[in-house]
Amino acid sequence: VRGGVARGEPGEGLGRQDSWALWEQAKLDELRGDGESRTAWLLRFTLSHPAIDTIIAGTMNPRHLAENVAAAQAGPLPDDLYAEAKRRLDDAGESPEA
Ligand SMILES: NC(=O)c1ccc[n+]([C@@H]2O[C@H](COP(=O)([O-])OP(=O)(O)OC[C@H]3O[C@@H](n4cnc5c(N)ncnc54)[C@H](OP(=O)(O)O)[C@@H]3O)[C@@H](O)[C@H]2O)c1
């Protein structure tokens, strides 16, 4: 996957407000761990996809690099959390193509 952190959340990376609007709609903040940023959570969410092999996440910020390495080391989300995120995204109208 290229774009596995959706360019970072608006104001932190180069992410656009419109491409992150679904985040709010699906209330994904409620699924984040204590102190876990949206981008770190998203990286773990992307890593949770069963077909994922590699994610390219670009950054020029050493703090973001450290955060992304820590998120990758934390690994995929627990199965129940991943399923809940997928359920919320489905409800918000974002489902995988058949
Ligand atoms: N070889 C090629 O042909 C080619 C073509 C296109 C892209 N690329 C490279 O592929 C990589 C991926 O590009 P992409 O367009 O898919 O972008 P991406 O990896 O989804 O997002 C990169 C953006 O996310 C931000 N970001 C990264 N970690 C973050 C964090 N923890 N918190 C907040 N923001 C964070 C970065 O901002 P900060 O810098 O502020 O962290 C940067 O603006 C880039 O390095 C790009 O240069 C290569």
Side-chain angles (χ1 to χ4, degrees):
V1 167
R2 185 191 140 211
V5 294
R7 313 207 76 201
E9 61 241 80
E12 272 289 321
L14 294 177
R16 295 200 329 257
Q17 202 73 49
D18 56 339
S19 48
W20 277 78
L22 189 67
W23 180 283
E24 304 278 353
Q25 217 179 316
K27 298 187 175 17
L28 297 182
D29 276 329
E30 294 171 2
L31 306 184
R32 275 194 292 147
D34 283 345
E36 186 172 42
S37 77
R38 288 176 165 189
T39 303
W41 187 94
L42 186 61
L43 188 51
R44 295 185 65 206
F45 174 81
T46 312
L47 263 178
S48 305
H49 193 286
I52 280 295
D53 177 74
T54 303
I55 298 174
I56 301 172
T59 180
M60 301 212 306
N61 179 327
R63 183 171 59 81
H64 289 165
L65 176 62
E67 181 177 54
N68 296 349
V69 169
Q73 286 174 336
L77 299 174
D79 289 347
D80 57 340
L81 201 60
Y82 185 62
E84 177 62 15
K86 298 282 286 176
R87 192 188 63 73
R88 290 179 183 219
L89 287 164
D90 277 346
D91 286 353
E94 184 66 22
S95 305
E97 285 177 28

